[in-house]
Amino acid sequence: MSTPSQPPRVDGDSAAQCVTLAAKATLPTRYGTFTSYAFRVSAGDAEHLALVMGDVSGQASVLTRLHSECLTGDVLGSYRCDCGEQLDLALRYIAAEGRGVLLYLRGHEGRGIGLSNKIRAYALQEQGLDTVEANLELGLPDDAREYESAVAILRELNVTSVRLMSNNPKKFDTLVKHGIPVCERVALAIPVRDENERYIRTKQVKFGHYFEENE
């Protein structure tokens, strides 16, 4: 586990995907009971969901996951990616600790290219392209996701610093850039399968994702 650098908090910066709390309710799940918060992003049509367990307001080192929406992995259990297994593991870690935040970031399907384009990219991958090459072949960005709205939600929840469950350095960089210290990286080690090995290795090589050798 690594500890990224922690600059002082930057107030009034451009973390600028403003969000508005739209609804709040208790959500009992197989992992335990969460408080769910639905947020609307003012710059578009996206709606994100925050699942909060325990008291996180004003708290430091809150166990946190920024999770990109993935219908095929999260709902259908696809082995093309590791998304569904990461979601499951993150919620289990939060439940075991009894406190934490999971932000479910909608509009991130296929690294932000949408469901139909993701399926098109899958077809290209079946012809031999990796995930990055497939997106570019379709004339799309290799990664179109933004995490500034996640920063805004964490501020709304009054989380002062996090222990981030992620293998993606872009998430760390965005939080730190906008003044939310990351105290620790909590690894999410998902078993490598024949179906997702190239996907995971591509993330490591082309996006610099952290990788646990015991995966």
Side-chain angles (χ1 to χ4, degrees), residues 78-100:
S78 170
Y79 281 165
R80 278 187 175 269
C81 63
D82 55 357
C83 302
E85 290 170 291
Q86 286 190 329
L87 176 63
D88 175 73
L89 189 56
L91 289 169
R92 290 181 186 278
Y93 281 1
I94 290 171
E97 191 157 307
R99 188 187 75 162

Side-chain angles (χ1 to χ4, degrees), residues 78-130:
S78 170
Y79 281 165
R80 278 187 175 269
C81 63
D82 55 357
C83 302
E85 290 170 291
Q86 286 190 329
L87 176 63
D88 175 73
L89 189 56
L91 289 169
R92 290 181 186 278
Y93 281 1
I94 290 171
E97 191 157 307
R99 188 187 75 162
V101 175
L102 185 135
L103 303 187
Y104 195 84
L105 303 173
R106 301 184 66 225
H108 281 205
E109 189 77 53
R111 298 196 187 111
I113 65 173
L115 181 60
S116 296
N117 283 326
K118 183 170 81 168
I119 300 303
R120 293 188 182 100
Y122 280 173
L124 290 174
Q125 290 164 40
E126 290 170 358
Q127 298 173 29
L129 301 186
D130 66 29

Side-chain angles (χ1 to χ4, degrees), residues 28-84:
T29 76
R30 64 177 176 268
Y31 305 97
T33 299
F34 293 83
T35 302
S36 61
Y37 299 83
F39 288 91
R40 292 196 180 100
V41 181
S42 61
D45 297 327
E47 292 183 309
H48 300 323
L49 183 69
L51 296 180
V52 178
M53 182 176 283
D55 181 14
V56 301
S57 179
Q59 301 299 309
S61 299
V62 175
L63 190 61
T64 300
R65 166 76 178 164
L66 313 184
H67 188 84
S68 293
E69 175 185 27
C70 177
L71 175 69
T72 51
D74 299 341
V75 177
L76 302 175
S78 170
Y79 281 165
R80 278 187 175 269
C81 63
D82 55 357
C83 302

